């Protein structure tokens, strides 16, 4: 096994190089409906070091056919700072919108706060955290609403205060509790606030792609302010990894085909070399984990 251990780092490096051998696809024609532009977004994406590195943020979003993402480090603006200090920040009319944010991780709940550049104190009730997000010009999205502790602590006051609820999230496929809680909490939120946004998020860390669950946002303008305004107004539909849509019927019916298409198609720009590189890099990493680094 010594030779395997020695080759593993080289396999990782070669795999990473090959994985970058993608082709640039032409920009998609923007989807319009009801007089709005429809953007595909992921509002719960963790950045480096617990998620996507800044130099890959826009590239990966484009590959996954996303128009807007929010960087949401746990109780910090670390990923946003890294993004804003990256050597190259893509721009242009068709550039991916990258929004600042944090995942406020508190006792009994998590809140994806989008559109803020300052952290919010985490030792406070959900309603107070949502109010703090609003005071800073952002929105508060209740993240992965499931679990016994969450159910016991959630109040109508807190649920009424949020701007959106994650109803499509990878965790929903992982337990009976989540399959029950997600739609139940979303329906409860809608009863309290009919404008609450239906949100699909990847909660990307390292496993599962960005945009595996996504949100279609009906915006008046393709800007950060336009996205935040649409989220506040509840003009969204959520899409899960199986191509199912959730939210107000007037919006879900318009994006149902796009949801199925986005979730059933391979990433844009993939090539045989890039797919082989991904497999090679993961095989090398697995060998390093199982066998340990080379000892010379």
């Amino acid at each position: 096994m010594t030779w395997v251990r020695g080759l593993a780092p080289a396999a990782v490096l070669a795999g990473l190089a090959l994985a970058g051998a993608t082709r640039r696809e032409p920009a998609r024609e923007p989807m319009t409906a009801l007089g709005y532009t429809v953007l595909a977004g992921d509002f719960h994406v963790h950045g480096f070091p617990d998620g996507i590195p800044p130099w890959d943020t826009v590239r990966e979003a484009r590959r996954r056919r996303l128009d807007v993402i929010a960087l949401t480090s746990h109780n910090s603006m670390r990923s946003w700072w890294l993004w804003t200090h990256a050597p190259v920040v893509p721009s242009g009319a068709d550039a991916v919108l990258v929004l600042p944010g944090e995942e406020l991780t508190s006792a009994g709940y998590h809140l994806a706060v989008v559109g803020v550049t300052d952290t919010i104190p985490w030792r406070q009730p959900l309603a107070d955290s949502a109010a703090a997000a609003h005071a800073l010009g952002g929105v508060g999205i209740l993240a992965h609403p499931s679990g016994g502790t969450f159910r016991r602590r959630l109040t109508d006051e807190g649920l009424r205060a949020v701007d959106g609820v994650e109803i499509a999230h990878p965790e929903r496929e992982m337990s009976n509790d989540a399959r029950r809680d997600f739609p139940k909490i979303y329906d409860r939120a809608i009863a309290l606030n009919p404008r609450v946004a239906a949100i699909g998020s990847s909660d990307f860390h390292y496993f599962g792609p960005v945009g595996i669950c996504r949100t279609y946002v009906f915006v008046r303008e393709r800007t950060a302010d336009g996205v935040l305004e649409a989220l506040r107004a509840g003009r969204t539909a959520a899409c899960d990894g199986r191509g199912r849509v959730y939210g107000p019927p007037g919006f879900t019916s318009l994006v149902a085909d796009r949801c199925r298409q986005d979730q059933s198609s391979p990433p844009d720009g993939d090539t045989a070399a890039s797919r082989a590189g991904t497999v090679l890099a993961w095989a090398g990493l697995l060998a390093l984990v199982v066998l340990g680094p080379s000892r010379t």
Side-chain angles (χ1 to χ4, degrees):
M1 291 297 178
T2 301
W3 66 273
V4 176
R5 186 184 292 113
L7 286 176
V12 173
L13 293 175
L16 291 174
L18 285 172
T22 57
R23 61 179 180 271
R24 180 70 183 270
E25 299 282 357
R28 288 195 305 178
E29 285 294 320
M31 179 181 176
T32 59
L34 303 177
Y36 300 107
T37 299
V38 183
L39 302 182
D42 189 343
F43 299 105
H44 190 168
V45 177
H46 291 269
F48 187 82
D50 57 334
I52 196 166
W55 55 86
D56 250 357
T57 300
V58 164
R59 173 178 173 271
E60 190 60 18
R62 282 196 180 119
R63 289 182 70 241
R64 300 293 173 176
R65 294 176 289 278
L66 293 171
D67 304 297
V68 52
I69 65 171
L71 296 174
T72 53
S73 291
H74 289 283
N75 291 341
S76 80
M77 301 302 302
R78 179 176 57 245
S79 56
W80 177 247
W81 186 93
L82 289 170
W83 163 253
T84 56
H85 288 77
V88 177
V89 178
S91 60
D94 65 340
V96 174
L97 295 172
V98 181
L99 305 185
E102 69 165 318
E103 183 179 4
L104 194 152
T105 307
S106 187
Y109 71 90
H110 290 194
L111 189 71
V113 181
V114 178
V116 303
T117 54
D118 294 308
T119 56
I120 293 171
W122 66 270
R123 295 183 181 87
Q124 56 185 344
L126 174 58
D128 292 346
S129 294
H134 299 156
L136 293 173
V139 299
I141 297 169
L142 191 59
H144 41 75
S146 182
T149 301
F150 169 80
R151 290 193 300 271
R152 287 191 299 272
R153 297 193 178 198
L154 183 65
T155 65
D156 283 355
E157 179 187 16
L159 194 53
R160 189 182 291 110
V162 302
D163 301 283
V165 174
E166 287 182 350
I167 179 130
H169 183 282
E171 186 179 314
R172 182 168 175 171
E173 306 299 324
M174 297 171 63
S175 73
N176 290 329
D177 270 4
R179 279 188 284 273
R180 176 196 62 212
D181 288 345
F182 277 57
K184 186 175 180 180
I185 298 301
Y186 173 74
D187 289 345
R188 182 178 160 189
I190 283 287
L192 293 168
N193 173 15
R195 293 198 305 174
V196 72
I199 301 295
S201 300
S202 68
D203 195 0
F204 176 83
H205 283 76
Y206 296 113
F207 301 99
V210 173
I212 189 171
C213 296
R214 60 187 59 203
T215 307
Y216 295 101
V217 191
F218 292 69
V219 303
R220 301 183 193 276
E221 58 182 32
R222 190 190 176 106
T223 64
D225 287 341
V227 171
L228 294 175
E229 185 273 330
L231 291 174
R232 295 187 189 102
R235 296 196 306 271
T236 66
C239 170
D240 71 10
R242 298 188 181 188
R244 300 172 296 196
V245 289
Y246 309 88
F251 295 131
T252 58
S253 61
L254 296 170
V255 299
D257 289 343
R258 175 60 66 88
C259 171
R260 287 190 290 270
Q261 179 184 350
D262 280 343
Q263 302 300 53
S264 62
S265 302
D268 284 350
D270 263 14
T271 62
S274 66
R275 289 191 290 270
T278 300
V279 172
L280 185 61
W282 277 110
L285 286 171
L286 181 62
L288 286 174
V289 170
V290 174
L291 301 176
S294 177
R295 297 179 179 86
T296 56

